[in-house]
Amino acid sequence: MIASRTERYLGIVLLSVATIVTLLPLISMFSAALQPADQNPTGLTWPTDPQWGNFATAFETGHVWQLMGSSLLIVLGVVPVSLVAATLAGFALGALQVRFGRGILVFFVLGLTIPFEALIIPLYYQAQSMGTVNTPWAVIFPLIGLYMPFGVFWMRAHFINVPRELSEAARVDGASIWREFRSIQLPLAAPALSALAILLFIWTWNQFLLPVVLIADPLQRTVAGALTFFQGQYSLSIPLLNAGALIIITPAVLLFLVFQRQFIRALVQGAVKG
Amino acid sequence: MTDRAVAVAAAPRQSDAAPATTTAPPRRAAARAAARRATLAGWLLLVPALGFYIGFVVWPLIQGVQYSFYDWNGIGVARWVGVGNYLTVFTDPDLLGAIRNAFILIAFFTFIPVGLGLVLATLIRGIRYKAFAATAQTVLFLPQIIPLAAAGIAWSWMYAQTGAVNQILGWLGLGWITRPWLADYGTALPAVGLIGSWVLTGLCTVLLLTGLGKIDVSLYEAIRLDGAGWWREFFTITLPGLRQEIAVLVTVTVIAALSSFDIIYTSTQGGPGRATLVPGLSIFRIGFTQSDVGLASAFGIVLMVLVLIVVLPIQRLSRASDS
């Protein structure tokens, strides 16, 4: 590509500005977190006496271990079941091409446009009648359902692109559908599955509305939902609130930095398919 | 059937193609039997996904429609009010204000991120220092990983009287416009909107960058040799080439704008007054604080329909321009 020198320099400058603006809120959180917990902090300053203890205090009084545990529990409830159900359905719609498959696909895809906010009231009363309110199940079951349109759409898009000859050859050889699925289709689906797993993991980990409404005890919510607990706990101390919020977002950020290529590819593909 | 025939004809394989033709009749019969089994098995495979989707999305939706025709406090006896709750949604100034705010947020959640994303993506593409471009891409994407609720907390501190925004304005000699941005009636909504821009710009940039990668490089070389400048190149090649990606991003970000909740909940709680009230927060408050389940459900249905009204034409447009 031919680009003039001014364009290139302009590009570097603008991109640097965008990068700094993106990092600024995180840096400002960090700067606030290191200032004395009992004072009103000031914007971006490196404190003369950085209060690293704020992180320890926030970790302890924020019950971070318990929080991470309950979040992980919800993730483990949502992600595997979603993956299995979406894969089976995607295989049926994409590879087997069942009758009325087109209609079922449209039925699922319509679900992609439903905002969670529109369903939250009936979901609350449903959880109440099922007796799951204030338990992880109140969040796990609906999230599996709410992520299903995307999951099915995603897995179907994978299976429809697998050459038909592969499954035909298997069937002529006398393989059952189950055997074809297990030995041929599933190994080929590994990349699509792991990308979907990554997406479902972040979406569940960061899910806010459902846990806030359906689980009264903030320490049993997802990490994101528990942030309201921090806001209540540290309403008088901006440094501790920022320290707590930073602790909470660190695991996901670290995970992202390690797997950033996969994360970005998954989200971008997800957007294109969605 | 025809698709498959074309595919096989287009890519004949050397060795295993020959035996396949000699055993054609049994193969076809076996395939037909297999297809019958496949249909039955296929339906069984769909059961778990359909079960969760119908049980926890479709059924609650139907319940929501039912609630929306009643006056119900969640515990006592429900009283049929017909379309009364819907009339309230479209006449109550607070609720109309929430809808208006949601549409204003589209400017910040959609126009700014897609616009900036276009600029940044074209710039990243032109940069020779690959390491710098890759780092910038990773950093820009970071807000997608952080919970929106955390973005709300981070930015409410940025916007505070003693926060970084006012401090930077002071450095720039703009000290006279500093204020507690989220507490000011005039600036609260745009300030909240900019948090959305911060979150979504990275996603837009990265997705548009992927789209740019698919555009034929020779097109760019040709137009440059024609002596076209940045603008003409942008409007004749880049923009049309990214139509699909832009349609997707507009859809995703418009839904994010209309159903914003997390950021507002942790940054302003809808305040000051009702300056940043949005439908998601209204539904939450009416349903769980005021215990007016019918009205909250009706607002939920209205929100869903609004999203459909805005999003479906975008889908149609992108599809029409494709063919």
Side-chain angles (χ1 to χ4, degrees), chain A residues 2 22 28 41 43-44 107 117-118 125-126 168 206 208 231 260 271, chain B residues 4 27 38 53 55 138 145 157 162 167 198 224 248 259 262 266 293 300:
Chain A
I2 310 162
T22 306
S28 111
L44 296 164
F107 178 57
E117 286 81 359
Y125 288 99
Q126 184 185 38
E168 270 171 22
N206 289 348
F208 182 74
Q231 281 195 308
Q260 43 135 335
Chain B
R4 221 179 313 156
R27 179 182 167 168
Y53 179 52
T138 305
I145 306 305
W157 160 233
T162 57
Q167 191 185 16
W198 177 77
R224 282 284 160 132
V248 167
S259 57
D262 312 22
T266 51
V293 176

PDB file of all heavy atoms in Angstrom, chain A residues 2 22 28 41 43-44 107 117-118 125-126 168 206 208 231 260 271, chain B residues 4 27 38 53 55 138 145 157 162 167 198 224 248 259 262 266 293 300:
ATOM      1  N   ILE A   2       0.462   2.206  -0.825  1.00  0.00           N
ATOM      2  CA  ILE A   2       1.253   3.429  -0.926  1.00  0.00           C
ATOM      3  C   ILE A   2       0.641   4.467   0.003  1.00  0.00           C
ATOM      4  O   ILE A   2      -0.527   4.791  -0.086  1.00  0.00           O
ATOM      5  CB  ILE A   2       1.227   3.976  -2.364  1.00  0.00           C
ATOM      6  CG1 ILE A   2       1.569   2.837  -3.342  1.00  0.00           C
ATOM      7  CG2 ILE A   2       2.190   5.125  -2.522  1.00  0.00           C
ATOM      8  CD1 ILE A   2       1.155   3.128  -4.753  1.00  0.00           C
ATOM      9  N   THR A  22      -7.623   5.447  25.669  1.00  0.00           N
ATOM     10  CA  THR A  22      -8.188   4.164  26.077  1.00  0.00           C
ATOM     11  C   THR A  22      -7.637   3.722  27.431  1.00  0.00           C
ATOM     12  O   THR A  22      -8.355   3.179  28.261  1.00  0.00           O
ATOM     13  CB  THR A  22      -7.866   3.086  25.020  1.00  0.00           C
ATOM     14  OG1 THR A  22      -8.324   3.557  23.760  1.00  0.00           O
ATOM     15  CG2 THR A  22      -8.559   1.784  25.342  1.00  0.00           C
ATOM     16  N   SER A  28      -6.054   6.216  35.710  1.00  0.00           N
ATOM     17  CA  SER A  28      -6.611   7.095  36.735  1.00  0.00           C
ATOM     18  C   SER A  28      -7.167   6.285  37.911  1.00  0.00           C
ATOM     19  O   SER A  28      -7.083   6.700  39.060  1.00  0.00           O
ATOM     20  CB  SER A  28      -7.662   8.030  36.107  1.00  0.00           C
ATOM     21  OG  SER A  28      -8.947   7.735  36.542  1.00  0.00           O
ATOM     22  N   PRO A  41      -9.248  11.732  46.816  1.00  0.00           N
ATOM     23  CA  PRO A  41      -8.048  11.720  45.966  1.00  0.00           C
ATOM     24  C   PRO A  41      -8.111  12.807  44.883  1.00  0.00           C
ATOM     25  O   PRO A  41      -9.163  13.369  44.623  1.00  0.00           O
ATOM     26  CB  PRO A  41      -8.090  10.334  45.341  1.00  0.00           C
ATOM     27  CG  PRO A  41      -9.534   9.970  45.332  1.00  0.00           C
ATOM     28  CD  PRO A  41     -10.160  10.652  46.512  1.00  0.00           C
ATOM     29  N   GLY A  43      -7.054  13.620  40.752  1.00  0.00           N
ATOM     30  CA  GLY A  43      -6.867  12.974  39.445  1.00  0.00           C
ATOM     31  C   GLY A  43      -5.625  12.133  39.241  1.00  0.00           C
ATOM     32  O   GLY A  43      -5.414  11.141  39.932  1.00  0.00           O
ATOM     33  N   LEU A  44      -4.816  12.502  38.258  1.00  0.00           N
ATOM     34  CA  LEU A  44      -3.652  11.690  37.927  1.00  0.00           C
ATOM     35  C   LEU A  44      -2.443  12.202  38.691  1.00  0.00           C
ATOM     36  O   LEU A  44      -1.823  13.170  38.280  1.00  0.00           O
ATOM     37  CB  LEU A  44      -3.377  11.760  36.428  1.00  0.00           C
ATOM     38  CG  LEU A  44      -4.444  11.199  35.513  1.00  0.00           C
ATOM     39  CD1 LEU A  44      -4.218  11.686  34.095  1.00  0.00           C
ATOM     40  CD2 LEU A  44      -4.415   9.680  35.558  1.00  0.00           C
ATOM     41  N   PHE A 107     -36.163 -18.807  13.981  1.00  0.00           N
ATOM     42  CA  PHE A 107     -36.716 -18.736  15.332  1.00  0.00           C
ATOM     43  C   PHE A 107     -35.617 -18.408  16.348  1.00  0.00           C
ATOM     44  O   PHE A 107     -35.778 -17.557  17.223  1.00  0.00           O
ATOM     45  CB  PHE A 107     -37.387 -20.082  15.633  1.00  0.00           C
ATOM     46  CG  PHE A 107     -37.975 -20.221  17.009  1.00  0.00           C
ATOM     47  CD1 PHE A 107     -38.936 -19.331  17.470  1.00  0.00           C
ATOM     48  CD2 PHE A 107     -37.590 -21.266  17.836  1.00  0.00           C
ATOM     49  CE1 PHE A 107     -39.497 -19.474  18.737  1.00  0.00           C
ATOM     50  CE2 PHE A 107     -38.148 -21.423  19.100  1.00  0.00           C
ATOM     51  CZ  PHE A 107     -39.091 -20.521  19.545  1.00  0.00           C
ATOM     52  N   GLU A 117     -32.898  -6.624  29.117  1.00  0.00           N
ATOM     53  CA  GLU A 117     -33.729  -5.742  29.940  1.00  0.00           C
ATOM     54  C   GLU A 117     -35.209  -5.996  29.715  1.00  0.00           C
ATOM     55  O   GLU A 117     -36.022  -5.799  30.612  1.00  0.00           O
ATOM     56  CB  GLU A 117     -33.416  -4.275  29.626  1.00  0.00           C
ATOM     57  CG  GLU A 117     -32.092  -3.780  30.175  1.00  0.00           C
ATOM     58  CD  GLU A 117     -30.911  -4.174  29.306  1.00  0.00           C
ATOM     59  OE1 GLU A 117     -31.120  -4.863  28.277  1.00  0.00           O
ATOM     60  OE2 GLU A 117     -29.782  -3.802  29.656  1.00  0.00           O
ATOM     61  N   ALA A 118     -35.567  -6.420  28.495  1.00  0.00           N
ATOM     62  CA  ALA A 118     -36.974  -6.633  28.180  1.00  0.00           C
ATOM     63  C   ALA A 118     -37.517  -7.887  28.860  1.00  0.00           C
ATOM     64  O   ALA A 118     -38.718  -8.046  29.003  1.00  0.00           O
ATOM     65  CB  ALA A 118     -37.163  -6.727  26.666  1.00  0.00           C
ATOM     66  N   TYR A 125     -39.933 -13.382  38.081  1.00  0.00           N
ATOM     67  CA  TYR A 125     -41.080 -14.123  38.609  1.00  0.00           C
ATOM     68  C   TYR A 125     -40.997 -15.605  38.272  1.00  0.00           C
ATOM     69  O   TYR A 125     -41.458 -16.445  39.034  1.00  0.00           O
ATOM     70  CB  TYR A 125     -42.388 -13.473  38.151  1.00  0.00           C
ATOM     71  CG  TYR A 125     -42.583 -12.167  38.887  1.00  0.00           C
ATOM     72  CD1 TYR A 125     -42.257 -10.953  38.298  1.00  0.00           C
ATOM     73  CD2 TYR A 125     -43.021 -12.169  40.208  1.00  0.00           C
ATOM     74  CE1 TYR A 125     -42.371  -9.767  39.002  1.00  0.00           C
ATOM     75  CE2 TYR A 125     -43.138 -10.991  40.924  1.00  0.00           C
ATOM     76  CZ  TYR A 125     -42.807  -9.786  40.315  1.00  0.00           C
ATOM     77  OH  TYR A 125     -42.904  -8.637  41.029  1.00  0.00           O
ATOM     78  N   GLN A 126     -40.366 -15.910  37.124  1.00  0.00           N
ATOM     79  CA  GLN A 126     -40.155 -17.324  36.801  1.00  0.00           C
ATOM     80  C   GLN A 126     -39.220 -17.970  37.838  1.00  0.00           C
ATOM     81  O   GLN A 126     -39.517 -19.052  38.352  1.00  0.00           O
ATOM     82  CB  GLN A 126     -39.532 -17.443  35.405  1.00  0.00           C
ATOM     83  CG  GLN A 126     -39.362 -18.878  34.946  1.00  0.00           C
ATOM     84  CD  GLN A 126     -38.625 -18.973  33.615  1.00  0.00           C
ATOM     85  OE1 GLN A 126     -37.700 -18.219  33.353  1.00  0.00           O
ATOM     86  NE2 GLN A 126     -39.052 -19.894  32.778  1.00  0.00           N
ATOM     87  N   GLU A 168     -21.067 -37.995   4.122  1.00  0.00           N
ATOM     88  CA  GLU A 168     -21.614 -39.027   3.236  1.00  0.00           C
ATOM     89  C   GLU A 168     -20.732 -40.253   3.223  1.00  0.00           C
ATOM     90  O   GLU A 168     -21.214 -41.384   3.321  1.00  0.00           O
ATOM     91  CB  GLU A 168     -21.764 -38.483   1.822  1.00  0.00           C
ATOM     92  CG  GLU A 168     -23.123 -37.860   1.644  1.00  0.00           C
ATOM     93  CD  GLU A 168     -23.230 -37.116   0.343  1.00  0.00           C
ATOM     94  OE1 GLU A 168     -22.449 -37.413  -0.579  1.00  0.00           O
ATOM     95  OE2 GLU A 168     -24.086 -36.236   0.268  1.00  0.00           O
ATOM     96  N   ASN A 206     -18.829 -11.123  32.834  1.00  0.00           N
ATOM     97  CA  ASN A 206     -19.148  -9.693  32.849  1.00  0.00           C
ATOM     98  C   ASN A 206     -20.641  -9.405  32.958  1.00  0.00           C
ATOM     99  O   ASN A 206     -21.049  -8.252  32.942  1.00  0.00           O
ATOM    100  CB  ASN A 206     -18.620  -9.018  31.575  1.00  0.00           C
ATOM    101  CG  ASN A 206     -17.111  -8.921  31.566  1.00  0.00           C
ATOM    102  OD1 ASN A 206     -16.466  -9.142  32.589  1.00  0.00           O
ATOM    103  ND2 ASN A 206     -16.534  -8.594  30.425  1.00  0.00           N
ATOM    104  N   PHE A 208     -24.098  -8.455  34.212  1.00  0.00           N
ATOM    105  CA  PHE A 208     -24.393  -7.558  35.330  1.00  0.00           C
ATOM    106  C   PHE A 208     -25.861  -7.588  35.730  1.00  0.00           C
ATOM    107  O   PHE A 208     -26.204  -7.817  36.886  1.00  0.00           O
ATOM    108  CB  PHE A 208     -23.986  -6.140  34.909  1.00  0.00           C
ATOM    109  CG  PHE A 208     -24.180  -5.094  35.965  1.00  0.00           C
ATOM    110  CD1 PHE A 208     -23.323  -5.032  37.050  1.00  0.00           C
ATOM    111  CD2 PHE A 208     -25.197  -4.169  35.874  1.00  0.00           C
ATOM    112  CE1 PHE A 208     -23.487  -4.058  38.031  1.00  0.00           C
ATOM    113  CE2 PHE A 208     -25.366  -3.199  36.851  1.00  0.00           C
ATOM    114  CZ  PHE A 208     -24.502  -3.147  37.922  1.00  0.00           C
ATOM    115  N   GLN A 231     -19.417  -0.732  45.452  1.00  0.00           N
ATOM    116  CA  GLN A 231     -19.887   0.656  45.492  1.00  0.00           C
ATOM    117  C   GLN A 231     -20.550   0.948  46.831  1.00  0.00           C
ATOM    118  O   GLN A 231     -20.416   2.028  47.374  1.00  0.00           O
ATOM    119  CB  GLN A 231     -20.864   0.923  44.348  1.00  0.00           C
ATOM    120  CG  GLN A 231     -20.150   1.150  43.033  1.00  0.00           C
ATOM    121  CD  GLN A 231     -21.062   1.764  42.001  1.00  0.00           C
ATOM    122  OE1 GLN A 231     -22.154   1.255  41.740  1.00  0.00           O
ATOM    123  NE2 GLN A 231     -20.634   2.862  41.414  1.00  0.00           N
ATOM    124  N   GLN A 260      -4.924 -12.924  23.694  1.00  0.00           N
ATOM    125  CA  GLN A 260      -5.575 -11.816  22.990  1.00  0.00           C
ATOM    126  C   GLN A 260      -5.895 -12.114  21.530  1.00  0.00           C
ATOM    127  O   GLN A 260      -6.933 -11.700  21.027  1.00  0.00           O
ATOM    128  CB  GLN A 260      -4.757 -10.543  23.109  1.00  0.00           C
ATOM    129  CG  GLN A 260      -3.290 -10.747  22.915  1.00  0.00           C
ATOM    130  CD  GLN A 260      -2.734  -9.706  22.015  1.00  0.00           C
ATOM    131  OE1 GLN A 260      -3.443  -9.142  21.203  1.00  0.00           O
ATOM    132  NE2 GLN A 260      -1.442  -9.456  22.149  1.00  0.00           N
ATOM    133  N   ALA A 271     -19.025 -11.126  15.813  1.00  0.00           N
ATOM    134  CA  ALA A 271     -19.774  -9.961  15.352  1.00  0.00           C
ATOM    135  C   ALA A 271     -20.193 -10.144  13.900  1.00  0.00           C
ATOM    136  O   ALA A 271     -21.321  -9.829  13.530  1.00  0.00           O
ATOM    137  CB  ALA A 271     -18.921  -8.703  15.510  1.00  0.00           C
TER     138      ALA A 271
ATOM    139  N   ARG B   4     -24.484 -29.783  -4.083  1.00  0.00           N
ATOM    140  CA  ARG B   4     -23.503 -30.794  -3.827  1.00  0.00           C
ATOM    141  C   ARG B   4     -22.943 -31.321  -5.149  1.00  0.00           C
ATOM    142  O   ARG B   4     -21.762 -31.518  -5.294  1.00  0.00           O
ATOM    143  CB  ARG B   4     -24.149 -31.945  -3.050  1.00  0.00           C
ATOM    144  CG  ARG B   4     -23.254 -32.472  -1.974  1.00  0.00           C
ATOM    145  CD  ARG B   4     -23.941 -33.567  -1.223  1.00  0.00           C
ATOM    146  NE  ARG B   4     -25.306 -33.196  -0.859  1.00  0.00           N
ATOM    147  CZ  ARG B   4     -26.236 -34.093  -0.633  1.00  0.00           C
ATOM    148  NH1 ARG B   4     -25.979 -35.370  -0.758  1.00  0.00           N
ATOM    149  NH2 ARG B   4     -27.447 -33.717  -0.284  1.00  0.00           N
ATOM    150  N   ARG B  27     -25.325 -46.786  -3.078  1.00  0.00           N
ATOM    151  CA  ARG B  27     -24.907 -45.635  -2.307  1.00  0.00           C
ATOM    152  C   ARG B  27     -26.086 -44.679  -2.136  1.00  0.00           C
ATOM    153  O   ARG B  27     -26.330 -44.137  -1.062  1.00  0.00           O
ATOM    154  CB  ARG B  27     -23.764 -44.932  -3.027  1.00  0.00           C
ATOM    155  CG  ARG B  27     -23.321 -43.720  -2.257  1.00  0.00           C
ATOM    156  CD  ARG B  27     -22.239 -42.961  -2.946  1.00  0.00           C
ATOM    157  NE  ARG B  27     -22.102 -41.672  -2.285  1.00  0.00           N
ATOM    158  CZ  ARG B  27     -21.104 -40.851  -2.480  1.00  0.00           C
ATOM    159  NH1 ARG B  27     -20.161 -41.169  -3.323  1.00  0.00           N
ATOM    160  NH2 ARG B  27     -21.048 -39.711  -1.851  1.00  0.00           N
ATOM    161  N   ALA B  38     -31.381 -39.423   9.862  1.00  0.00           N
ATOM    162  CA  ALA B  38     -30.780 -38.142  10.217  1.00  0.00           C
ATOM    163  C   ALA B  38     -31.840 -37.163  10.676  1.00  0.00           C
ATOM    164  O   ALA B  38     -31.641 -36.404  11.609  1.00  0.00           O
ATOM    165  CB  ALA B  38     -30.015 -37.580   9.035  1.00  0.00           C
ATOM    166  N   TYR B  53     -33.959 -22.457  25.213  1.00  0.00           N
ATOM    167  CA  TYR B  53     -34.368 -21.213  24.549  1.00  0.00           C
ATOM    168  C   TYR B  53     -35.852 -20.925  24.793  1.00  0.00           C
ATOM    169  O   TYR B  53     -36.228 -19.821  25.180  1.00  0.00           O
ATOM    170  CB  TYR B  53     -34.058 -21.329  23.059  1.00  0.00           C
ATOM    171  CG  TYR B  53     -34.447 -20.116  22.241  1.00  0.00           C
ATOM    172  CD1 TYR B  53     -34.029 -18.846  22.604  1.00  0.00           C
ATOM    173  CD2 TYR B  53     -35.209 -20.264  21.085  1.00  0.00           C
ATOM    174  CE1 TYR B  53     -34.368 -17.742  21.841  1.00  0.00           C
ATOM    175  CE2 TYR B  53     -35.547 -19.168  20.311  1.00  0.00           C
ATOM    176  CZ  TYR B  53     -35.129 -17.909  20.692  1.00  0.00           C
ATOM    177  OH  TYR B  53     -35.471 -16.833  19.931  1.00  0.00           O
ATOM    178  N   GLY B  55     -37.769 -22.357  27.158  1.00  0.00           N
ATOM    179  CA  GLY B  55     -38.056 -22.286  28.586  1.00  0.00           C
ATOM    180  C   GLY B  55     -37.625 -20.983  29.241  1.00  0.00           C
ATOM    181  O   GLY B  55     -38.309 -20.488  30.129  1.00  0.00           O
ATOM    182  N   THR B 138      -4.423  -4.093  20.405  1.00  0.00           N
ATOM    183  CA  THR B 138      -4.712  -4.795  21.663  1.00  0.00           C
ATOM    184  C   THR B 138      -5.253  -3.825  22.709  1.00  0.00           C
ATOM    185  O   THR B 138      -6.250  -4.097  23.373  1.00  0.00           O
ATOM    186  CB  THR B 138      -3.433  -5.455  22.208  1.00  0.00           C
ATOM    187  OG1 THR B 138      -2.908  -6.292  21.192  1.00  0.00           O
ATOM    188  CG2 THR B 138      -3.719  -6.267  23.442  1.00  0.00           C
ATOM    189  N   ILE B 145     -13.135  -6.201  27.249  1.00  0.00           N
ATOM    190  CA  ILE B 145     -12.907  -7.297  28.182  1.00  0.00           C
ATOM    191  C   ILE B 145     -13.389  -6.925  29.579  1.00  0.00           C
ATOM    192  O   ILE B 145     -13.770  -7.764  30.368  1.00  0.00           O
ATOM    193  CB  ILE B 145     -11.390  -7.630  28.233  1.00  0.00           C
ATOM    194  CG1 ILE B 145     -10.878  -7.903  26.833  1.00  0.00           C
ATOM    195  CG2 ILE B 145     -11.099  -8.793  29.144  1.00  0.00           C
ATOM    196  CD1 ILE B 145     -11.632  -8.971  26.093  1.00  0.00           C
ATOM    197  N   TRP B 157     -15.236   8.193  38.310  1.00  0.00           N
ATOM    198  CA  TRP B 157     -14.100   8.809  39.004  1.00  0.00           C
ATOM    199  C   TRP B 157     -13.363   9.783  38.074  1.00  0.00           C
ATOM    200  O   TRP B 157     -12.982  10.872  38.473  1.00  0.00           O
ATOM    201  CB  TRP B 157     -13.179   7.723  39.557  1.00  0.00           C
ATOM    202  CG  TRP B 157     -11.772   8.164  39.864  1.00  0.00           C
ATOM    203  CD1 TRP B 157     -10.626   7.592  39.429  1.00  0.00           C
ATOM    204  CD2 TRP B 157     -11.365   9.256  40.683  1.00  0.00           C
ATOM    205  NE1 TRP B 157      -9.543   8.267  39.903  1.00  0.00           N
ATOM    206  CE2 TRP B 157      -9.969   9.309  40.670  1.00  0.00           C
ATOM    207  CE3 TRP B 157     -12.057  10.248  41.401  1.00  0.00           C
ATOM    208  CZ2 TRP B 157      -9.234  10.275  41.353  1.00  0.00           C
ATOM    209  CZ3 TRP B 157     -11.319  11.215  42.085  1.00  0.00           C
ATOM    210  CH2 TRP B 157      -9.921  11.216  42.067  1.00  0.00           C
ATOM    211  N   THR B 162     -12.624  16.302  41.306  1.00  0.00           N
ATOM    212  CA  THR B 162     -11.167  16.245  41.448  1.00  0.00           C
ATOM    213  C   THR B 162     -10.550  15.190  40.527  1.00  0.00           C
ATOM    214  O   THR B 162      -9.397  14.810  40.678  1.00  0.00           O
ATOM    215  CB  THR B 162     -10.772  15.916  42.906  1.00  0.00           C
ATOM    216  OG1 THR B 162     -11.407  14.675  43.264  1.00  0.00           O
ATOM    217  CG2 THR B 162     -11.195  16.999  43.862  1.00  0.00           C
ATOM    218  N   GLN B 167      -8.702  17.719  35.710  1.00  0.00           N
ATOM    219  CA  GLN B 167      -7.282  17.989  35.878  1.00  0.00           C
ATOM    220  C   GLN B 167      -6.615  18.259  34.526  1.00  0.00           C
ATOM    221  O   GLN B 167      -5.867  19.213  34.366  1.00  0.00           O
ATOM    222  CB  GLN B 167      -6.647  16.778  36.544  1.00  0.00           C
ATOM    223  CG  GLN B 167      -5.235  16.994  37.013  1.00  0.00           C
ATOM    224  CD  GLN B 167      -4.627  15.713  37.557  1.00  0.00           C
ATOM    225  OE1 GLN B 167      -5.150  14.625  37.308  1.00  0.00           O
ATOM    226  NE2 GLN B 167      -3.550  15.837  38.298  1.00  0.00           N
ATOM    227  N   TRP B 198     -16.069   5.043  24.415  1.00  0.00           N
ATOM    228  CA  TRP B 198     -14.795   4.470  24.872  1.00  0.00           C
ATOM    229  C   TRP B 198     -14.828   2.945  24.790  1.00  0.00           C
ATOM    230  O   TRP B 198     -13.880   2.312  24.339  1.00  0.00           O
ATOM    231  CB  TRP B 198     -14.535   4.924  26.320  1.00  0.00           C
ATOM    232  CG  TRP B 198     -13.298   4.364  26.952  1.00  0.00           C
ATOM    233  CD1 TRP B 198     -12.009   4.780  26.723  1.00  0.00           C
ATOM    234  CD2 TRP B 198     -13.219   3.308  27.911  1.00  0.00           C
ATOM    235  NE1 TRP B 198     -11.149   4.024  27.499  1.00  0.00           N
ATOM    236  CE2 TRP B 198     -11.855   3.132  28.237  1.00  0.00           C
ATOM    237  CE3 TRP B 198     -14.166   2.496  28.551  1.00  0.00           C
ATOM    238  CZ2 TRP B 198     -11.419   2.178  29.155  1.00  0.00           C
ATOM    239  CZ3 TRP B 198     -13.723   1.548  29.458  1.00  0.00           C
ATOM    240  CH2 TRP B 198     -12.371   1.391  29.757  1.00  0.00           C
ATOM    241  N   ARG B 224      -4.358   5.150  -6.391  1.00  0.00           N
ATOM    242  CA  ARG B 224      -3.248   6.044  -6.052  1.00  0.00           C
ATOM    243  C   ARG B 224      -2.507   6.472  -7.321  1.00  0.00           C
ATOM    244  O   ARG B 224      -2.114   7.615  -7.476  1.00  0.00           O
ATOM    245  CB  ARG B 224      -2.284   5.356  -5.095  1.00  0.00           C
ATOM    246  CG  ARG B 224      -2.771   5.315  -3.663  1.00  0.00           C
ATOM    247  CD  ARG B 224      -2.612   6.670  -2.997  1.00  0.00           C
ATOM    248  NE  ARG B 224      -3.482   6.781  -1.840  1.00  0.00           N
ATOM    249  CZ  ARG B 224      -3.083   7.221  -0.642  1.00  0.00           C
ATOM    250  NH1 ARG B 224      -1.840   7.607  -0.444  1.00  0.00           N
ATOM    251  NH2 ARG B 224      -3.939   7.307   0.345  1.00  0.00           N
ATOM    252  N   VAL B 248     -23.024  -4.616  10.343  1.00  0.00           N
ATOM    253  CA  VAL B 248     -22.965  -5.423  11.567  1.00  0.00           C
ATOM    254  C   VAL B 248     -22.717  -4.534  12.776  1.00  0.00           C
ATOM    255  O   VAL B 248     -23.395  -4.630  13.806  1.00  0.00           O
ATOM    256  CB  VAL B 248     -21.845  -6.484  11.454  1.00  0.00           C
ATOM    257  CG1 VAL B 248     -21.559  -7.098  12.809  1.00  0.00           C
ATOM    258  CG2 VAL B 248     -22.229  -7.545  10.450  1.00  0.00           C
ATOM    259  N   SER B 259     -30.334  -0.547  24.800  1.00  0.00           N
ATOM    260  CA  SER B 259     -30.517  -1.349  26.003  1.00  0.00           C
ATOM    261  C   SER B 259     -29.383  -1.129  27.003  1.00  0.00           C
ATOM    262  O   SER B 259     -29.009  -2.020  27.739  1.00  0.00           O
ATOM    263  CB  SER B 259     -30.640  -2.820  25.641  1.00  0.00           C
ATOM    264  OG  SER B 259     -29.505  -3.231  24.924  1.00  0.00           O
ATOM    265  N   ASP B 262     -25.819  -1.242  32.410  1.00  0.00           N
ATOM    266  CA  ASP B 262     -24.699  -1.401  33.334  1.00  0.00           C
ATOM    267  C   ASP B 262     -23.972  -0.079  33.601  1.00  0.00           C
ATOM    268  O   ASP B 262     -23.731   0.288  34.747  1.00  0.00           O
ATOM    269  CB  ASP B 262     -23.671  -2.414  32.788  1.00  0.00           C
ATOM    270  CG  ASP B 262     -24.307  -3.695  32.302  1.00  0.00           C
ATOM    271  OD1 ASP B 262     -25.512  -3.680  31.992  1.00  0.00           O
ATOM    272  OD2 ASP B 262     -23.595  -4.705  32.211  1.00  0.00           O
ATOM    273  N   THR B 266     -24.021   2.056  37.293  1.00  0.00           N
ATOM    274  CA  THR B 266     -22.882   2.269  38.180  1.00  0.00           C
ATOM    275  C   THR B 266     -22.329   3.689  38.111  1.00  0.00           C
ATOM    276  O   THR B 266     -21.554   4.077  38.979  1.00  0.00           O
ATOM    277  CB  THR B 266     -21.726   1.289  37.898  1.00  0.00           C
ATOM    278  OG1 THR B 266     -21.423   1.317  36.519  1.00  0.00           O
ATOM    279  CG2 THR B 266     -22.087  -0.118  38.309  1.00  0.00           C
ATOM    280  N   VAL B 293     -45.410  -4.229  38.211  1.00  0.00           N
ATOM    281  CA  VAL B 293     -44.919  -5.254  37.293  1.00  0.00           C
ATOM    282  C   VAL B 293     -45.510  -5.088  35.890  1.00  0.00           C
ATOM    283  O   VAL B 293     -44.826  -5.251  34.888  1.00  0.00           O
ATOM    284  CB  VAL B 293     -45.226  -6.662  37.847  1.00  0.00           C
ATOM    285  CG1 VAL B 293     -44.803  -7.739  36.866  1.00  0.00           C
ATOM    286  CG2 VAL B 293     -44.534  -6.860  39.174  1.00  0.00           C
ATOM    287  N   GLY B 300     -40.790  -3.101  28.854  1.00  0.00           N
ATOM    288  CA  GLY B 300     -39.876  -4.096  28.301  1.00  0.00           C
ATOM    289  C   GLY B 300     -40.255  -4.499  26.884  1.00  0.00           C
ATOM    290  O   GLY B 300     -39.405  -4.593  25.998  1.00  0.00           O
TER     291      GLY B 300
END
